[in-house]
């Protein structure tokens, strides 16, 4: 299995392999698994496959602040994908984004739903969104179609070829 080769330290479960294949093949997908069934690893495996196949240059994870550092950051690092958490103020976030794609820059970024409306201009300026895999985790955060964060998330997903929502 291809995923067993690219997955560090753990063997993915069958639902993770199936979900990752689905995300890869459909390009726009929703993974509606129960809690604690491996949606995070599934998305990371999809990202690694997309990177390996040359289909994306960046990954942007949008999630609640409560899981940025506790869930996403350690899982990405464990899977060999160093990341930058965009929660250090607009100036520092812009510096990190401006280095994207350079030898010293990150290719994986994590941002909160609350921050995307204020960072959307920076994201579109520094990341080629058509070559960015956007992952929206805990998408119940964007349930109101009139909310600013919902509109910003929708705007963020217009250009990327690959996008997945998790809930």
């Amino acid at each position: 299995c291809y995923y067993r080769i690219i997955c560090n330290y753990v063997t993915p479960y069958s639902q993770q392999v199936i979900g990752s294949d689905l995300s890869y093949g459909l390009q726009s997908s929703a993974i509606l698994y129960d809690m604690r069934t491996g949606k995070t690893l599934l998305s990371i495996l999809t990202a690694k496959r997309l990177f390996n196949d040359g289909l994306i240059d960046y990954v942007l994870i949008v999630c609640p602040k409560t899981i940025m550092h506790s869930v996403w950051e350690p899982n990405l690092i464990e899977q060999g994908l160093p990341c930058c958490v965009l929660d250090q103020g607009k100036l520092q976030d812009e510096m990190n984004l401006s280095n994207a794609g350079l030898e010293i820059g990150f290719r994986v970024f994590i941002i909160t739903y609350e921050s995307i409306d204020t960072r959307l201009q920076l994201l579109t300026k520094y990341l080629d969104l058509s070559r960015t895999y956007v992952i929206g985790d805990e998408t119940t955060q964007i349930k109101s179609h009139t909310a600013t964060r919902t509109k910003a998330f929708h705007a963020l997903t217009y250009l990327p070829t690959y996008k997945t929502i998790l809930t």
Side-chain angles (χ1 to χ4, degrees), residues 12-28:
Y13 292 108
S14 61
Q15 78 270 12
Q16 292 168 313
V17 172
I18 291 166
S20 188
D21 279 341
L22 175 85
S23 294
Y24 182 89
L26 288 179
Q27 299 177 350
S28 296

Side-chain angles (χ1 to χ4, degrees), residues 11-73:
T11 301
Y13 292 108
S14 61
Q15 78 270 12
Q16 292 168 313
V17 172
I18 291 166
S20 188
D21 279 341
L22 175 85
S23 294
Y24 182 89
L26 288 179
Q27 299 177 350
S28 296
S29 61
I31 304 298
L32 310 175
Y33 290 178
D34 288 332
M35 290 178 4
R36 314 277 313 145
T37 56
K39 296 182 295 285
T40 302
L41 181 61
L42 175 160
S43 299
I44 293 170
L45 292 176
T46 303
K48 288 179 80 170
R49 184 173 177 190
L50 291 167
F51 274 134
N52 289 345
D53 291 352
L55 297 171
I56 60 167
D57 296 325
Y58 307 104
V59 174
L60 179 65
I61 297 139
V62 186
C63 64
K65 188 172 186 69
T66 55
I67 61 173
M68 292 172 78
H69 295 285
S70 63
V71 176
W72 278 102
E73 188 176 26

